[in-house]
Amino acid sequence: MNDAAPVVYLLHGDDSYAQRQFIETLVEKMGDPSMAEMNTSRLEGSDLTLDALRTAVSAVPFLAERRLVMAENTSRRFNSQDIQEKFINLLEQLPQSTALVLLEDKRLPDNHWLMKWTDQAGGRAYTRPMEVPKGADLVK
């Protein structure tokens, strides 16, 4: 039985607070805060390219078990079929020493290409919808 931690975490939805809380938990698990900071990368906007992501996820952790790499809105950034295939290839080759957190600011439908990949990835991927509670759910 494989008890290895996932290498891809897909957090999708409009609850940025819940996403931050989840990331804080991952950072805490990395141990010493200064080492965690040295082993954390965040890619967003124009900084998020396939080459930049490949470099970040391939780096060996420094005095830690894992690296934490966060990438924002990859589903919109990587929107052509060619780049999606390259991105999925990268996801399938991630080392166990990397925790890649994909942050999407909208909930992805079940038939989305990224959701389809996480469904077939098994224990290598963890998916969690995070939406701001509304109506009666807000009261809870």
Side-chain angles (χ1 to χ4, degrees), residues 64-77:
E65 276 187 46
R66 294 185 93 184
R67 278 190 60 70
L68 177 63
V69 178
M70 293 166 279
E72 292 188 8
N73 295 311
T74 54
S75 69
R76 284 199 303 267
R77 186 79 176 155

Side-chain angles (χ1 to χ4, degrees), residues 46-121:
S46 62
D47 291 338
L48 179 56
T49 64
L50 198 55
D51 287 337
L53 186 59
R54 184 177 289 112
T55 298
V57 299
S58 299
V60 176
F62 181 70
L63 299 176
E65 276 187 46
R66 294 185 93 184
R67 278 190 60 70
L68 177 63
V69 178
M70 293 166 279
E72 292 188 8
N73 295 311
T74 54
S75 69
R76 284 199 303 267
R77 186 79 176 155
F78 302 147
N79 55 10
S80 72
Q81 186 170 355
D82 179 53
I83 195 89
Q84 289 170 3
E85 289 173 6
K86 291 177 182 176
F87 179 58
I88 287 173
N89 187 43
L90 176 67
L91 294 179
E92 291 176 352
Q93 295 179 26
L94 287 176
Q96 194 63 41
S97 61
T98 296
L100 174 60
V101 180
L102 304 175
L103 301 163
E104 297 290 332
D105 61 10
K106 293 182 182 172
R107 186 168 181 156
L108 300 178
D110 292 340
N111 65 348
H112 188 277
W113 63 270
L114 199 47
M115 294 293 285
K116 287 179 182 179
W117 180 82
T118 60
D119 286 346
Q120 65 84 32

Side-chain angles (χ1 to χ4, degrees), residues 10-13 19 104 106-108 115 127-130:
L10 174 59
L11 310 179
H12 60 110
Q19 290 180 351
E104 297 290 332
K106 293 182 182 172
R107 186 168 181 156
L108 300 178
M115 294 293 285
T127 304
R128 185 165 172 192
M130 296 184 160

